[in-house]
Amino acid sequence: MSEYPWSNIQLFELLAGQGAGAAALDRARAAYAVAQRRHSAQYRPDGRPFVSHLVRTAGILARHGEREAVVLAGLVHAVYAQGDFGATRPGATPTNRAVLRAVIGAEAEDLVARYTAFAWSPESARRMLEDAEARRAIGADILVMRIANELEEALDGALAHVGARMRVETLDQLALSARLARSIDRPGLGEAVDAVLAVEAERAAPAAAMGADGSYVLLPASAAIRQVVRARRLVGRLRRGLAGRALSRTGGSRP
């Protein structure tokens, strides 16, 4: 599946080759910067940096001809669900939405918020397949982003390197995704999913789980040390504050 970009540079080159102008490429770079910032030190269950998953999800959408807003949304599709906002409250808060909207535009940001709100599961996927009105209510853009996400999770034999539960769940969702892609008039994407499923059907299930069942954070050693130092300082301040209040209640004074 080398036709899908792995890196930000490959993604930008793909977009430029498809005719994206300077302004569009600037928006893609800005979206990538958001992904870098909000998913720093995060890893996917198979051990890859989280940002690699985001880049290739966007690349799948671009390769299959989705418009710019959908590609940009794909590049930051997990920011509200799993992004690290530091001291700021995470999620699709009004403040966070306004900041992202300024970077990728109102249409793309709305897609990210709707993608986050869509409760994806085998049950909801089956409902989309059975009910055209339900598909219209969710929207083809959200569904195609979801299918691209599921496809990306399984490329290059990645499912041999995740937890057993995630492998089973992803394969179930991929089978539904292939049908769902055709139901929203994305036959090429459906064929790409089918190709992955065919490879997985020939592959023996791993004897033991090789990875995780969800994303995780792995801080550099220096950052981990700083976190411990900060925690100790915070505990010290809390203790001093409590001691001070105790003294004020008893009328005592510090030595």
Side-chain angles (χ1 to χ4, degrees):
M1 292 295 176
S2 59
E3 71 268 26
Y4 300 131
W6 259 107
S7 70
N8 57 314
I9 301 301
Q10 290 174 336
L11 176 62
F12 301 153
E13 287 296 303
L14 169 61
L15 296 176
Q18 292 178 331
L25 290 174
D26 283 345
R27 286 188 288 271
R29 293 187 186 100
Y32 177 72
V34 170
Q36 279 184 303
R37 178 71 171 171
R38 297 306 176 196
H39 299 281
S40 176
Q42 290 184 2
Y43 291 82
R44 294 302 292 150
D46 54 28
R48 289 176 301 138
F50 201 116
V51 73
S52 297
H53 164 68
L54 299 174
V55 165
R56 198 155 58 162
T57 299
I60 290 169
L61 294 166
R63 183 67 75 187
H64 287 279
E66 299 300 324
R67 67 185 188 283
E68 181 193 2
V70 178
V71 174
L72 289 177
L75 189 49
V76 290
H77 68 266
V79 68
Y80 294 144
Q82 300 185 64
D84 186 339
F85 287 82
T88 304
R89 186 158 64 93
T93 67
T95 298
N96 293 342
R97 293 194 63 180
V99 171
L100 185 61
R101 193 178 302 123
V103 175
I104 65 174
E107 183 184 9
E109 189 282 326
D110 181 66
L111 291 174
V112 177
R114 287 165 53 201
Y115 178 91
T116 306
F118 176 40
W120 172 256
S121 67
E123 292 72 25
S124 64
R126 291 187 186 94
R127 187 166 61 252
M128 297 300 109
L129 283 169
E130 296 165 359
D131 188 345
E133 186 56 39
R135 291 197 299 274
R136 284 191 290 271
I138 295 298
D141 292 333
I142 304 304
L143 295 176
V144 79
M145 287 170 60
R146 190 74 242 189
I147 296 165
N149 177 84
E150 298 303 310
L151 172 60
E152 200 289 323
E153 299 279 19
L155 293 175
D156 302 323
L159 294 182
H161 304 278
V162 300
R165 178 174 59 81
M166 182 173 180
R167 182 177 187 275
V168 171
E169 289 178 355
T170 303
L171 287 173
D172 287 346
Q173 291 167 356
L174 275 174
L176 294 165
S177 294
R179 295 167 55 199
L180 192 55
R182 293 179 174 88
S183 76
I184 58 172
D185 196 27
R186 303 303 198 278
L189 187 57
E191 290 172 5
V193 175
D194 280 339
V196 169
L197 286 170
V199 171
E200 290 299 323
E202 297 295 323
R203 187 194 307 273
M210 301 296 291
D213 282 315
S215 299
Y216 58 93
V217 173
L218 186 62
L219 291 174
S222 58
I225 291 171
R226 286 196 294 272
Q227 293 298 324
V228 171
V229 171
R230 291 191 186 106
R232 288 174 177 168
R233 288 174 179 170
L234 176 60
V235 169
R237 286 197 296 271
L238 290 172
R239 286 175 175 169
R240 289 192 293 273
L242 290 172
R245 283 196 289 272
L247 284 170
S248 66
R249 285 197 299 270
T250 60
S253 61
R254 289 189 180 88

